[in-house]
């Protein structure tokens, strides 16, 4: 396999606008989800069978009492060696891009295996049909020479390109951020194609922001 493609999500540049979340719904023709206000802008509250991307909002106090408000545009990380392919022969690990795709209408992907091995708690199941879904890295758009819809919609934080170029950009940005904040880091960059840059402990963004 070639090195394939990667997506960079620099959370230090994310405004929490949720344009990526809406663009994902639109491109994939996924219906809106009935929700209610729960005291947070995170809405719907989680990923779902028809929600491949959700912007997570997390707030709290840093050591010393300074408040934080983190945004984390959660999605499948398209692992370089994806453990979830063990969940069924229907799962495609695309040679050219590295995207991990659960084809629409799948019927034999074992959800318990997929969610059990996923380090980032990503796959979701249709309660009625038992079909399993998640982000496809917009494989259809990539095959047509287009960026993933979320990346195209993002005004500030997301980039897409050849994996080696994205990894170089990740290193450059982390080095720049670390000049003023030693906590700045790229999450699991060697293991995933969707690489998040954060400037605080990954757990303060989301329980499954990092593997393990
Ligand atoms: Fe599979 Fe989870 Fe990795 Fe996505 S993040 S490729 S669902 S193991
Ligand atoms: Fe953040 Fe970009 Fe998504 Fe807006 S579109 S929430 S800036 S990642």
């Amino acid at each position: 396999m070639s090195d394939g493609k990667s997506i960079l999500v620099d959370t230090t540049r994310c405004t929490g606008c949720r344009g990526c979340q809406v663009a994902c719904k639109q491109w994939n023709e996924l219906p809106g989800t009935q929700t209610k206000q729960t005291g947070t802008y995170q809405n719907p509250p989680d990923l779902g069978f028809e929600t491949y991307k959700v912007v997570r909002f997390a707030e709290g106090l840093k050591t010393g009492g300074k408040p934080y408000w983190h945004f984390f545009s959660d999605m499948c990380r398209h692992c370089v060696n994806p453990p979830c392919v063990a969940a069924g022969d229907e799962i495609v690990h695309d040679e050219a891009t590295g995207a991990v795709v659960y084809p629409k209408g799948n019927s034999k992907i074992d959800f318990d295996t997929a969610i059990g091995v996923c380090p980032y708690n990503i796959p979701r199941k249709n309660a009625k049909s038992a079909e399993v879904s998640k982000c496809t890295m917009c494989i259809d758009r990539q095959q047509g020479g287009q960026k993933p819809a979320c990346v195209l919609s993002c005004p500030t934080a997301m980039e897409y390109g050849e994996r080696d170029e994205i990894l170089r950009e990740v290193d450059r940005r982390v080095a720049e951020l670390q000049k003023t904040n030693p906590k700045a880091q790229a999450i699991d960059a060697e293991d995933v194609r969707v690489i998040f840059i954060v400037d605080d402990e990954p757990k303060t963004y989301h329980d499954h922001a990092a593997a393990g």
Side-chain angles (χ1 to χ4, degrees):
M1 179 182 286
S2 72
D3 276 356
K5 307 291 187 180
S6 268
I7 293 173
L8 161 61
V9 188
D10 185 345
T11 67
T12 70
R13 298 186 181 187
C14 174
T15 65
C17 72
R18 302 193 299 188
C20 52
Q21 189 177 311
V22 174
C24 178
K25 285 266 184 191
Q26 185 180 37
W27 180 256
N28 291 294
E29 299 182 327
L30 297 166
T33 309
Q34 190 79 37
T35 61
K36 59 181 180 183
Q37 176 54 257
T38 58
T40 167
Y41 289 107
Q42 187 174 316
N43 200 350
D46 197 9
L47 297 169
F49 179 73
E50 292 172 329
T51 302
Y52 302 165
K53 186 164 186 65
V54 73
V55 180
R56 300 188 183 278
F57 291 73
E59 53 195 288
L61 295 176
K62 295 186 181 190
T63 314
K66 198 172 166 193
Y68 66 79
W69 195 24
H70 291 329
F71 311 140
F72 192 90
S73 174
D74 201 14
M75 62 189 285
C76 171
R77 308 303 195 278
H78 295 276
C79 300
V80 174
N81 294 303
C84 66
V85 296
D89 295 341
E90 289 166 288
I91 298 174
V92 176
H93 190 195
D94 182 58
E95 180 93 16
T97 62
V100 180
V101 181
Y102 297 5
K104 279 202 170 167
N106 65 73
S107 59
K108 296 194 179 106
I109 295 177
D110 183 76
F111 173 71
D112 290 341
T113 300
I115 195 74
V117 298
C118 176
Y120 306 100
N121 191 39
I122 296 296
R124 295 292 186 270
K125 182 167 81 167
N126 183 320
K128 290 183 187 151
S129 71
E131 186 179 341
V132 186
S133 73
K134 65 166 192 68
C135 156
T136 67
M137 209 181 178
C138 284
I139 183 72
D140 49 352
R141 291 179 60 87
Q142 291 196 67
Q143 286 171 341
Q146 302 288 314
K147 295 176 182 179
C150 56
V151 180
L152 185 66
S153 77
C154 179
T156 51
M158 299 183 79
E159 291 197 19
Y160 159 83
E162 299 298 326
R163 178 168 172 76
D164 56 347
E165 290 171 16
I166 292 290
L167 284 171
R168 277 198 292 278
E169 180 62 8
V170 166
D171 286 347
R172 190 190 69 75
R173 289 198 195 186
V174 170
E176 188 64 31
L177 288 164
Q178 283 183 341
K179 287 179 187 169
T180 52
N181 182 353
K183 284 188 175 172
Q185 59 191 278
I187 300 178
D188 304 336
E190 295 303 318
D191 300 325
V192 297
R193 290 188 183 280
V194 179
I195 303 165
F196 286 81
I197 291 177
V198 292
D199 64 358
D200 203 346
E201 297 301 331
K203 281 254 181 231
T204 63
Y205 290 74
H206 166 47
D207 277 349
H208 300 286

